[in-house]
């Protein structure tokens, strides 16, 4: 790398001593240049990670001053055990995990597919006003997540524009209270076929981690669905721009060659465009997974006392354990939840790398 | 780019294929227009309703075309200053048109109560966003330059540490950062918020990538002229990095302008220290009765500066996203 600089010095007939001192000077300069940023990353990213890991192995509540004798003791993996395997909090965690997984499974594929479709259309050479469409789609993603949540709070309120629009389109429409509705979407679908909680038989009787099977298959609640729509609405623009850049990077010769071979448009897309976009898809899905697994801001604004349980995400649970109760903060449990989420995101990224073939594309 | 190219002549294609293409084209444009409407309409409705009085927001939210008279008063007060009448929804709205009122904006821009202090939050947001931006420009570019060009002990390891920090989810840092700043006595201070965010891995990698792309000969020439590393960096290398620095500045500014989670944890218990997103959540209140005129006016004010920056520097936004996207390849 930087060897070139020192290699050029002998050409200038520098003595050996000046050469080593120049090298030393460069080394010192390098350390000086990198140290402010490194110090900050170390202090506020790496140390906190270690601190989180450490406190997740103790029983410290977060309120008792650390200087106080016996403020906490090391309890090994007990927090994780209580959270994940047995204990009072096990259904808190699995409820949040269930909500988050439905959220991720609903949002990530939808936003990726919509973004891809939009990018393919915007990339057509006959399209006019390309810049306009790109701007229109991208704009929501520069807007604060809190502002977007406020906009959705207004749009989806009981008397808001969404209910207004639906009422005028469908005269029989009964206004839905989108943001205070705990009904599971899959429960509602099953209800159409006459399957309700009472008729669900063993689903209601069988419990896994203190949550009945019937609850496990609820799907996201209507309120959570609203937050999912928000997430999709906000992010498709960014992902569209990423896909568009990748599409424009594909050399036109590739398409011309395919045309010479007599491939039709669908075959070109299926067998040429899609494989070439694989690394981009991997990137977009990774970005989507990391973002959606941590959903927090939108829930902070859009949850209310009614939907407390069905909009609880794992990230929000971390906050709720730590700061939700003035009288009984549980930093130990909160950090254990946070570390667990870290592991979940990590594993999910690896799994999706296999699924989208990101590992092959990068090899 | 390719938009100027004419449609290829139809020599081998039958007319039915041509018709199919036309239909697909129309369907495609219809999809684009529909999505564009879905993406834009919420902003139009938000702006329109931020100029309505509370009853009209709740009861007639769909009207979006402003017509004179402008600046209608939401409340009529008697000489003693008591409210004697409120402007009803149907008095302000007629069909798709409405008479704009500035009451929401007035209320929000002049109030200085602890939980309704938008001018102060705006000032704080500017301070946070600009200070963090300047520090990141300095620290990220210095570190990026060192990693790209200077050989020093631990160069490779430090690069992988920086790369690794990208993987740490923000939620994990939430509590330990709170504890750390609490120990340091920096909770609810400007310094506390700023120091935590004064450098970031994305910026360092962006700058590193850029510095690797500029020719080495320029620095070698400067070295012959006897410039030391510091002079070389600040006088020669950094001025050449303007495009990358602009992209970094915009990304950093946008990130901090909209940053909620760090504000919640670091300055979230002292209203005087809030930024705009944090302030908005307090303005919203916790009950079911949301004061939409205030919340929507606050949302518009929060978004406006970002929107202006976006339209001026649009190219850099798109390039930045593109960069991070292509980096994924």
């Amino acid at each position: 790398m930087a060897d070139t600089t020192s290699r050029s010095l002998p050409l200038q007939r520098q003595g050996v001593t000046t050469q080593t001192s120049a090298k030393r000077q460069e080394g010192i300069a390098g350390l000086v240049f990198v140290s402010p940023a490194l110090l900050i990353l170390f202090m506020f990213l790496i140390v906190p990670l270690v601190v989180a890991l450490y406190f997740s192995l103790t029983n410290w509540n977060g309120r008792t001053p650390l200087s106080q004798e016996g403020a906490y003791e090391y309890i090994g993996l007990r927090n994780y055990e209580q959270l994940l395997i047995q204990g009072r909090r096990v259904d808190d965690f699995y409820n949040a995990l269930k909500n988050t997984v439905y959220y991720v499974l609903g949002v990530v594929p939808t936003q990726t597919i919509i973004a891809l479709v939009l990018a393919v259309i915007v990339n057509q050479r006959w399209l006019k006003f390309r810049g306009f469409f790109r701007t229109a789609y991208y704009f929501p993603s520069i807007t604060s997540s809190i502002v977007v949540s406020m906009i959705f709070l207004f749009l989806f309120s009981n008397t808001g524009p969404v209910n207004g629009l639906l009422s005028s389109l469908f005269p029989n429409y009964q206004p839905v209270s989108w943001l205070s509705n705990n009904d599971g979407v899959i429960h509602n679908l099953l209800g159409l076929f006459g399957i309700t909680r009472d008729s669900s038989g063993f689903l209601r009787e069988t419990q896994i981690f203190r949550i009945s099977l019937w609850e496990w298959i609820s799907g996201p609640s209507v309120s959570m669905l609203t937050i999912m729509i928000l997430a999709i609405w906000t992010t498709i623009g960014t992902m569209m721009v990423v896909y568009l850049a990748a599409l424009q990077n594909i050399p036109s010769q590739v398409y011309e060659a395919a045309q010479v071979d007599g491939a039709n448009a669908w075959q070109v897309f299926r067998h040429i465009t899609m494989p070439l976009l694989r690394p981009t898809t991997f990137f977009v899905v990774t970005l989507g997974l990391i973002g959606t697994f941590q959903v927090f801001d939108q829930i902070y604004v859009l949850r209310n006392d009614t939907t407390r349980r069905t909009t609880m995400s794992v990230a929000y649970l971390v906050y709720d354990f730590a700061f939700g109760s003035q009288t009984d903060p549980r930093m130990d449990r909160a950090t254990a939840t946070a570390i667990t989420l870290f592991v979940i995101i990590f594993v999910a990224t690896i799994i999706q790398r296999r699924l989208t073939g990101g590992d092959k594309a990068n090899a | 780019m390719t938009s100027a190219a004419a449609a290829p002549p139809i020599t081998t294609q039958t007319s039915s294929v041509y018709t199919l293409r036309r239909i697909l084209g129309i369907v495609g444009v219809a999809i684009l227009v529909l999505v564009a409407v879905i993406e834009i309409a919420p902003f139009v409705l938000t702006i329109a309703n931020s100029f309505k009085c509370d009853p009209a927001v709740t009861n007639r939210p769909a009207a979006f075309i402003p017509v004179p008279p402008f600046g209608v008063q939401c409340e009529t007060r008697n000489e003693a200053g008591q409210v004697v009448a409120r402007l009803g929804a149907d008095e302000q709205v007629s069909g798709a048109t409405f008479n704009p009122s500035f009451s929401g904006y007035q209320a929000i821009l002049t109030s200085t109560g602890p939980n309704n202090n938008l001018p102060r939050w705006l000032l704080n947001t500017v301070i946070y966003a600009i200070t963090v931006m300047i520090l990141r420009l300095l620290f990220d570019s210095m570190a990026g330059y060192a990693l790209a060009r200077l050989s020093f002990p631990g160069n490779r390891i430090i690069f992988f540490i920086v790369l690794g920090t990208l993987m740490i989810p923000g939620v994990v840092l939430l509590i330990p950062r709170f504890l750390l700043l609490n120990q340091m006595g920096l909770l609810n201070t400007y310094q506390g918020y700023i120091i935590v965010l004064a450098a970031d891995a994305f910026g360092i990698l962006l700058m590193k990538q850029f510095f690797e792309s500029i020719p080495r000969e320029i620095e070698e020439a400067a070295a012959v002229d006897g410039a030391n590393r510091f002079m070389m960096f600040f006088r020669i290398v950094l001025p050449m990095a303007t495009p990358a620095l602009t992209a970094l500045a915009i990304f950093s500014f946008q990130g901090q302008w909209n940053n909620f989670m760090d504000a919640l944890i670091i300055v979230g218990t002292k209203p005087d220290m809030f930024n705009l997103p944090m302030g908005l959540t307090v303005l919203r209140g916790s009950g079911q009765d949301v004061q939409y005129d205030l919340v929507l006016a606050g949302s518009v004010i929060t978004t406006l500066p970002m929107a202006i920056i976006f339209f001026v520097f649009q190219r850099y936004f798109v390039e930045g996203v593109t960069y991070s996207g292509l980096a994924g390849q």
Side-chain angles (χ1 to χ4, degrees):
Chain A
M1 269 204 196
D3 290 343
T4 338
T5 332
S6 42
R7 235 183 283 132
S8 67
L9 288 176
L11 295 176
Q12 295 154 32
R13 295 164 193 244
Q14 305 245 2
V16 180
T17 41
T18 39
Q19 192 189 338
T20 50
S21 90
K23 209 161 184 176
R24 184 181 301 154
Q25 200 200 12
E26 184 178 314
I28 293 168
L31 286 173
V32 171
F33 271 48
V34 87
S35 54
L38 190 65
L39 197 68
I40 289 161
L41 292 185
F42 186 74
M43 271 296 283
F44 297 107
L45 279 157
I46 295 165
V47 169
L49 186 66
V50 176
V51 168
L53 201 59
Y54 178 71
F55 279 115
S56 75
L57 302 175
T58 72
N59 64 355
W60 186 50
N61 60 19
R63 207 160 38 126
T64 321
L66 288 169
S67 49
Q68 191 176 310
E69 183 92 15
Y72 67 90
E73 55 187 52
Y74 177 81
I75 57 165
L77 293 172
R78 207 184 302 158
N79 283 321
Y80 293 93
E81 191 194 339
Q82 290 200 341
L83 201 66
L84 303 174
I85 300 166
Q86 54 183 348
R88 256 177 345 110
R89 295 295 168 179
V90 101
D91 57 325
D92 279 354
F93 176 78
Y94 284 102
N95 171 60
L97 183 65
K98 180 194 87 172
N99 294 337
T100 309
V101 168
Y102 279 129
Y103 180 89
V104 172
L105 290 181
V107 172
V108 175
T110 316
Q111 70 188 10
T112 308
I113 291 168
I114 295 178
L116 177 59
V117 170
L118 293 177
V120 168
I121 305 175
V122 171
N123 193 42
Q124 297 300 313
R125 52 180 129 166
W126 44 262
L127 187 79
K128 297 192 173 77
F129 310 114
R130 180 175 296 148
F132 164 78
F133 287 116
R134 204 174 51 184
T135 306
Y137 302 153
Y138 190 68
F139 189 76
S141 56
I142 64 144
T143 313
S144 147
S145 55
I146 299 299
V147 167
V148 171
S149 304
M150 295 298 171
I151 293 176
F152 271 65
L153 186 69
F154 159 66
L155 291 179
F156 284 85
S157 63
N158 291 349
T159 58
V162 169
N163 273 344
L165 180 72
L166 290 172
S167 303
S168 58
L169 289 178
F170 311 102
N172 291 331
Y173 173 73
Q174 295 290 322
V176 174
S177 53
W178 295 95
L179 290 165
S180 312
N181 192 324
N182 284 322
D183 294 346
V185 171
I186 295 178
H187 280 176
N188 282 352
L189 283 177
L190 291 174
L192 295 178
F193 300 100
I195 305 168
T196 59
R197 185 179 179 280
D198 295 326
S199 64
S200 65
F202 77 99
L203 290 178
R204 178 167 45 109
E205 312 296 332
T206 319
Q207 288 207 338
I208 298 176
F209 296 120
R210 298 172 54 145
I211 296 174
S212 70
L213 274 181
W214 172 248
E215 279 306 312
W216 276 105
I217 60 154
S218 66
S221 68
V222 173
S223 299
M224 199 59 155
L225 181 73
T226 314
I227 302 175
M228 290 162 68
I229 295 171
L230 180 158
I232 295 165
W233 181 83
T234 316
T235 43
I236 51 175
T238 315
M239 304 194 161
M240 200 274 307
V241 170
V242 174
Y243 266 128
L244 190 59
L247 283 172
Q248 288 173 347
N249 252 20
I250 299 177
S252 57
Q253 290 92 316
V254 175
Y255 292 119
E256 284 155 19
Q259 235 159 13
V260 170
D261 290 346
N264 66 32
W266 171 250
Q267 287 172 326
V268 170
F269 181 75
R270 181 68 193 80
H271 297 291
I272 295 179
T273 314
M274 284 284 279
L276 284 173
L277 287 180
R278 192 173 277 170
T280 312
T281 303
F282 170 67
F283 175 76
V284 164
V285 174
T286 305
L287 219 62
L289 283 178
I290 294 174
T292 48
F293 262 115
Q294 296 189 70
V295 57
F296 179 84
D297 297 7
Q298 298 82 351
I299 287 173
Y300 186 92
V301 175
L302 294 173
R303 72 198 281 280
N304 56 43
D305 290 341
T306 322
T307 59
R308 215 191 114 71
R309 195 167 169 83
T310 67
T311 56
M312 180 66 81
S313 71
V314 180
Y316 200 91
L317 190 66
V318 174
Y319 174 80
D320 202 48
F321 279 150
F323 304 103
S325 160
Q326 295 293 324
T327 50
D328 183 27
R330 296 303 327 183
M331 290 297 174
D332 50 351
R333 197 175 289 147
T335 46
T337 313
I339 298 287
T340 307
L341 180 59
F342 187 5
V343 174
I344 291 172
I345 294 175
F346 194 80
V347 171
T349 315
I350 291 171
I351 293 174
Q352 84 96 3
R353 197 177 158 87
R354 288 272 156 75
L355 290 180
T356 59
D359 49 347
K360 279 170 239 144
N362 280 10
Chain B
M1 239 161 274
T2 48
S3 58
I10 315 141
T11 46
T12 55
Q13 288 164 350
T14 63
S15 65
S16 71
V17 169
Y18 182 72
T19 320
L20 183 71
R21 287 202 151 192
R22 281 297 289 268
I23 294 170
L24 277 177
I26 292 166
V27 171
V29 172
I31 293 174
L32 291 192
V33 171
L34 179 72
V35 177
V37 168
I38 293 173
E39 296 290 326
I40 295 171
F43 288 106
V44 174
L45 285 172
T46 300
I47 295 169
N49 282 281
S50 72
F51 289 101
K52 287 182 198 165
C53 305
D54 216 359
V57 179
T58 324
N59 299 319
R60 305 291 298 273
F64 66 98
I65 303 166
V67 291
F70 293 144
V72 295
Q73 294 296 318
C74 286
E75 293 166 344
T76 318
R77 290 168 189 272
N78 64 12
E79 279 142 25
Q82 291 156 316
V83 179
V84 291
R86 284 177 199 282
L87 191 68
D90 290 322
E91 293 173 84
Q92 192 179 19
V93 176
S94 152
T97 64
F98 70 102
N99 308 128
S101 151
F102 304 120
S103 304
Y105 287 93
Q106 252 162 17
I108 209 171
L109 285 172
T110 53
S111 167
T112 52
N115 289 330
N116 182 359
N117 199 349
L118 203 88
R120 172 79 193 221
W121 300 336
L122 184 64
L123 174 73
N124 288 345
T125 312
V126 171
I127 293 172
Y128 293 139
I130 289 188
T131 322
V132 168
M133 181 183 83
I134 291 170
L135 290 176
R136 278 190 182 176
L137 285 176
L138 182 68
F139 294 159
D140 288 355
S141 60
M142 281 167 64
Y145 181 70
L147 292 177
R149 277 295 156 77
L150 304 176
S151 72
F152 59 93
N155 184 320
R156 293 291 289 169
I157 296 168
I158 290 172
F159 170 69
F160 283 114
I161 290 175
V162 171
L163 204 61
T165 59
L166 274 180
M167 293 208 41
I168 306 174
V171 178
V172 178
L173 304 171
L174 210 79
I175 297 158
R177 271 183 178 170
F178 172 84
L179 299 174
L180 214 63
L181 289 171
N182 196 15
Q183 291 287 317
M184 297 164 80
L186 288 175
L187 278 186
N188 293 319
T189 64
Y190 289 110
Q191 312 89 285
Y193 180 97
I194 290 161
I195 194 169
V196 168
L197 300 161
D200 72 314
F202 173 80
I204 294 172
L205 298 175
L206 181 92
M207 294 314 294
K208 173 179 182 285
Q209 180 107 341
F210 180 84
F211 288 130
E212 278 168 352
S213 73
I214 57 178
R216 226 174 253 280
E217 286 73 28
I218 295 168
E219 291 154 83
E220 280 164 13
V224 172
D225 291 344
N228 68 29
R229 281 286 167 185
F230 294 90
M231 284 158 64
M232 203 188 291
F233 177 71
F234 285 106
R235 299 241 179 98
I236 298 163
V237 177
L238 211 49
M240 292 193 328
T242 317
L245 290 172
T246 313
L248 176 58
I250 287 171
F251 264 87
S252 167
F253 190 84
Q254 182 198 346
Q256 295 320 310
W257 192 267
N258 297 336
N259 191 345
F260 171 67
M261 210 194 253
D262 289 305
L264 175 69
I265 294 305
I266 301 170
V267 294
T269 49
K270 196 175 172 202
D272 270 0
M273 301 303 299
F274 287 177
N275 66 358
L276 283 167
M278 183 66 216
L280 279 182
T281 64
V282 175
L283 211 57
R284 173 217 188 279
S286 49
Q288 294 278 23
D289 286 328
V290 183
Q291 281 190 289
Y292 282 112
D293 48 348
L294 295 188
V295 167
L296 295 181
S299 296
V300 172
I301 293 171
T302 304
T303 310
L304 197 62
M306 238 10 266
I308 293 170
I309 292 173
F310 174 66
F311 285 113
V312 174
F313 294 101
Q314 211 187 120
R315 192 164 63 87
Y316 290 96
F317 279 85
V318 174
E319 270 172 17
V321 175
T322 308
Y323 163 78
S324 57
L326 295 180
Q329 302 192 348

